[in-house]
Amino acid sequence: MKILRDTTPSQDGFHMPAEFEPHEGCIMIFPERADSWQYGAYAARRAFARVAEAISRSEKVTVCASAAQYDNARVLLPEAVRVVEMESDDAWARDYAPTFVRNAAGVLRGIDWGFNAWGGLYDGLYFPWDKDDRMARKLCDLLERDVYDKRDFILEGGSIHVDGEGTCLVTETCLLSRGRNPQMTREQIEDTLKEYLGVSTVIWLPCGIYNDETNGHVDNICAFVAPGEVVLAWTEDEEDVQYPMSRACLEILERARDARGRSITVHKLPLPAPVRITEEECRGLDSCRDEPTRTPGERLAASYVNFYIANGAVVMPGFQDPADQQAKEILQRLFPTREVVQIYARDILIGGGNIHCITQQIPAALAEARDPR
Ligand code: KQY
């Protein structure tokens, strides 16, 4: 594996493909951390296993597990899933597995962004995070892909969504947050995204989902379902604190043009009724640096937008909410060639994210493509 420091993906003719394009596989990480996942992550591991199983029906899934959890992961996960021993601090593959870029010949390379646990010592969620930060590079080595070193720029995979045709969606609350790249202007951040993701248009949504502890990752509020088409997390309840947030995003999307000059079609995806963590669930969480990680009654950032698009399926969360079925039907209509699989995801949500946050796609490379470097 070569570490590329002298050129950028854009200069080399690489760009990030959309998630709805064909995949070689998917990366996940087995959960273990007792201040993220209630009761020692027992239920979270089973929920992750159900997600891995659903994805593995149509693409190769690789799950990274600690030495302590390797045997358990191997037993719990289907045979078709590859389990590798790799250390991490937590289980958010979307945020610190590599972002992959591809060129016209089908060669695949990774990007190793800097990771600081969603805000470092300013407003990050745990310390240390160095094992997470090393994963992108280790995974590129494992997958035999050269990797761009961009560790001087803090970015999580959940904070970007691309259409594969030159457009990237982000949120201002996250990308401009003080805990990430405070020395950079908005223009410099946008230029970095263009250079590394191979995009020419960045659409800045103002915010994400209420109480999302990532400073509002875009992948919880808005996602491309096709070029020129997005789903947006939506509520009709004007009293809900989420209403003005989703409305502000809608207004930007309605005025936006993508890289090809198209207007954006917005499909509203209903939100579930507010999901709150219970006292019993909080009792099952360890504290983090002397502080409880959650407070009973706290609203969790539940959203159906946090789905994963696999080759043959869309794997989406369910919350045992009356809106589960409606959200599933909307996604099934938008993805007619894939089976929409809904997985009860409360045990993932308690950790602070959902199915998109715990998965990272590896785009399909051309089998015969060789990296010329
Ligand atoms: O991408 C995410 N949504 C990660 C959230 C991290 C929460 C840590 N408890």
Side-chain angles (χ1 to χ4, degrees):
M1 176 194 70
K2 285 195 177 62
I3 299 173
L4 309 171
R5 294 196 176 92
D6 299 332
T7 58
T8 67
S10 221
Q11 289 166 351
D12 296 338
F14 284 72
H15 76 280
M16 181 182 180
E19 192 171 324
F20 45 76
E21 294 180 51
H23 296 178
E24 178 179 302
C26 174
I27 299 164
M28 295 179 66
I29 306 167
F30 212 49
E32 191 173 346
R33 206 184 155 100
D35 57 7
S36 279
W37 313 99
Q38 53 158 345
Y39 297 101
Y42 180 88
R45 284 195 281 275
R46 277 144 188 84
F48 273 53
R50 283 190 281 275
V51 171
E53 193 280 324
I55 298 171
S56 71
R57 282 183 238 155
S58 62
E59 61 192 52
K60 184 75 190 177
V61 178
T62 299
V63 176
C64 304
S66 71
Q69 276 294 327
Y70 176 84
D71 287 343
N72 191 36
R74 193 52 288 170
V75 169
L76 212 56
L77 293 161
E79 283 174 12
V81 169
R82 168 169 55 190
V83 183
V84 295
E85 197 180 303
M86 195 179 290
E87 284 187 312
S88 64
D89 297 293
D90 203 355
W92 305 99
R94 174 64 49 187
D95 291 342
Y96 35 85
T99 297
F100 289 98
V101 288
R102 193 176 54 200
N103 70 4
V107 175
L108 209 61
R109 292 179 180 163
I111 304 175
D112 179 10
W113 312 104
F115 176 75
N116 70 356
W118 309 275
L121 298 180
Y122 178 71
D123 63 351
L125 299 176
Y126 50 69
F127 174 88
W129 53 77
D130 55 300
K131 296 191 187 86
D132 292 338
D133 196 25
R134 284 201 292 273
M135 288 195 92
R137 196 158 294 196
K138 290 183 186 176
L139 282 158
C140 285
D141 218 347
L142 180 76
L143 298 166
E144 299 182 1
R145 301 293 171 191
D146 291 348
V147 62
Y148 289 97
D149 177 1
K150 196 54 186 161
R151 289 189 298 191
D152 63 350
F153 181 69
I154 301 294
L155 187 98
E156 305 100 40
S159 69
I160 50 170
H161 253 311
V162 297
D163 66 354
E165 296 191 354
T167 316
C168 177
L169 283 169
V170 299
T171 63
E172 292 175 345
T173 48
C174 181
L175 275 275
L176 305 181
S177 63
R178 285 196 48 204
R180 288 183 173 79
N181 301 288
Q183 76 291 359
M184 294 176 78
T185 64
R186 176 188 174 114
E187 289 67 35
Q188 289 170 327
I189 291 171
E190 183 166 319
D191 286 346
T192 304
L193 295 175
K194 289 176 175 169
E195 227 17 76
Y196 279 79
L197 301 175
V199 297
S200 56
T201 299
V202 178
I203 299 176
W204 291 81
L205 303 181
C207 56
I209 292 289
Y210 173 73
N211 222 20
D212 185 324
E213 58 196 352
T214 63
N215 305 98
H217 271 183
V218 76
D219 72 343
N220 215 14
I221 189 157
C222 190
F224 281 109
V225 294
E229 286 186 51
V230 300
V231 284
L232 175 68
W234 188 256
T235 173
E236 294 293 349
D237 179 1
E238 296 189 16
E239 302 304 312
D240 188 334
V241 62
Q242 182 61 42
Y243 181 83
M245 299 170 76
S246 291
R247 158 97 23 220
C249 292
L250 179 64
E251 282 166 14
I252 295 292
L253 289 164
E254 283 176 340
R255 289 201 302 270
R257 287 283 178 279
D258 70 11
R260 304 254 175 128
R262 291 173 289 229
S263 57
I264 314 275
T265 302
V266 181
H267 304 277
K268 292 175 179 167
L269 203 53
L271 282 156
V275 177
R276 298 183 190 283
I277 192 162
T278 66
E279 264 193 64
E280 163 71 5
E281 287 165 339
C282 284
R283 263 199 299 278
L285 286 166
D286 281 0
S287 60
C288 180
R289 307 187 84 207
D290 302 336
E291 298 286 341
T293 50
R294 303 243 178 267
T295 318
E298 177 186 325
R299 182 162 167 181
L300 301 169
S303 163
Y304 298 110
V305 172
N306 213 298
F307 54 80
Y308 177 76
I309 308 170
N311 284 339
V314 173
V315 185
M316 70 175 294
F319 304 102
Q320 292 181 348
D321 182 278
D324 281 7
Q325 187 57 26
Q326 194 196 350
K328 184 177 178 191
E329 283 166 12
I330 292 170
L331 288 184
Q332 190 62 79
R333 185 167 48 76
L334 294 172
F335 292 101
T337 62
R338 292 169 161 101
E339 181 195 4
V340 177
V341 181
Q342 196 165 44
I343 292 177
Y344 180 59
R346 188 176 177 95
D347 288 301
I348 305 174
L349 177 65
I350 288 171
N354 223 306
I355 291 171
H356 195 255
C357 306
I358 63 168
T359 49
Q360 177 65 260
Q361 72 275 6
I362 309 167
L366 287 186
E368 66 276 19
R370 289 268 172 275
D371 201 324
R373 281 174 181 272

